[in-house]
Amino acid sequence: MIVYAPASQGSDGRALAIVHGLERALPGLHLKWTSSEKEDLIPLSNRDEWVVANGLNGRLPFLCNDDDNNLVTISGWENPNGLASDGTPHFELHADFRMEAFSPIDAANALEAISDGARALWGHATPFKAAVEIAEQTAPTLEGPPSPPKGLPALKSARDISSPELPHRLGWLNYWSAASARALGFPAPSRDAEWLSRARRTPADGWILRLTDAPLDLDQPDHLAALLRAYDRFPEIGRR
């Protein structure tokens, strides 16, 4: 799960909102540990105070639960590289967990919670294998331009994106802020019946759009077809 948001302006309260939101979204989750430089787990007796003290200047320090069978981690930092051609730095948030340990609804709730909490522009939650294949839509090959698998369209890099509100790619679960949805022309009731049946509004007036019922697996023809249809509907994504 990766979420992109405007850069922080000092202590803006987002770090705690993100942590509390993720704990509410994933049943039984308690993010009360961090790690040492030797990767030993360190319990946090005053977790919220620790997050506030260490979450200044656009970062969310590494947090996790203490469950080797169902590890959940989250961290965020200011990325000096821009999401668009203007090069403005942004806040980047990563959360990792085993999707099979939670329901698709739980995963959507988690993406909604951390995206709204971060005041994000856009983001996605995608199983690892599909995420790697989607990343190849942008990543250059040794021969030069991107060479996407499975007939996926090649996408442009951030320096060729005109606005930070425009998502760079699609994923299984997609978060679009109100500004991003407007930039994509979503929703358009006359042509978005399929996508509106898989979408919901968030409390911050964003959208969660799910491409497939089950976690995205591009080896399944119907999943690949859904992803291709979404790229056809939203050509602004990746500025193809």
Side-chain angles (χ1 to χ4, degrees):
M1 188 173 291
I2 307 177
V3 167
Y4 303 93
S8 176
Q9 301 296 323
S11 179
D12 54 17
R14 288 191 295 182
L16 274 183
I18 292 164
V19 173
H20 291 168
L22 186 57
E23 288 182 326
R24 288 193 299 269
L26 296 181
L29 178 63
H30 301 287
L31 296 167
K32 295 186 177 181
W33 285 262
T34 189
S35 66
S36 68
E37 293 182 0
K38 296 181 179 180
E39 299 187 354
D40 296 323
L41 283 185
I42 302 172
L44 299 169
S45 57
N46 296 298
R47 193 274 314 276
D48 285 2
E49 291 84 350
W50 182 86
V51 168
V52 171
N54 291 275
L56 302 178
N57 301 318
R59 56 187 295 268
L60 172 63
F62 176 86
L63 286 168
C64 66
N65 60 349
D66 185 18
D67 186 347
D68 290 338
N69 295 319
N70 186 18
L71 183 65
V72 179
T73 69
I74 189 168
S75 60
W77 55 88
E78 183 170 294
N79 189 325
N81 300 312
L83 289 171
S85 55
D86 63 7
T88 302
H90 66 276
F91 177 63
E92 188 167 321
L93 181 69
H94 289 236
D96 292 283
F97 55 87
R98 293 172 55 244
M99 284 192 172
E100 60 270 24
F102 299 100
S103 72
I105 293 176
D106 292 334
N109 290 342
L111 180 61
E112 175 184 292
I114 69 172
S115 298
D116 276 1
R119 303 166 205 163
L121 298 169
W122 58 275
H124 67 87
T126 308
F128 180 77
K129 184 176 184 293
V132 170
E133 293 173 313
I134 290 170
E136 291 182 44
Q137 294 181 259
T138 307
T141 64
L142 292 176
E143 293 76 23
S147 182
K150 296 181 168 65
L152 294 171
L155 307 178
K156 293 184 177 180
S157 63
R159 64 178 176 271
D160 298 312
I161 304 292
S162 59
S163 168
E165 288 83 11
L166 288 173
H168 296 180
R169 67 192 70 84
L170 284 162
W172 171 45
L173 301 171
N174 300 274
Y175 175 86
W176 299 334
S177 65
S180 291
R182 284 194 299 272
L184 295 173
F186 180 81
S190 62
R191 52 178 174 161
D192 283 332
E194 174 183 7
W195 308 119
L196 283 169
S197 71
R198 297 183 172 279
R200 74 184 196 207
R201 299 296 288 267
T202 77
D205 206 28
W207 287 90
I208 295 288
L209 173 64
R210 186 182 74 251
L211 293 190
T212 56
D213 290 335
L216 191 65
D217 179 355
L218 298 184
D219 290 331
Q220 296 191 33
D222 58 330
H223 285 208
L224 177 60
L227 180 58
L228 290 171
R229 287 196 305 276
Y231 276 121
D232 284 343
R233 164 60 185 92
F234 302 107
E236 298 87 353
I237 291 176
R239 278 297 186 192
R240 300 184 304 290

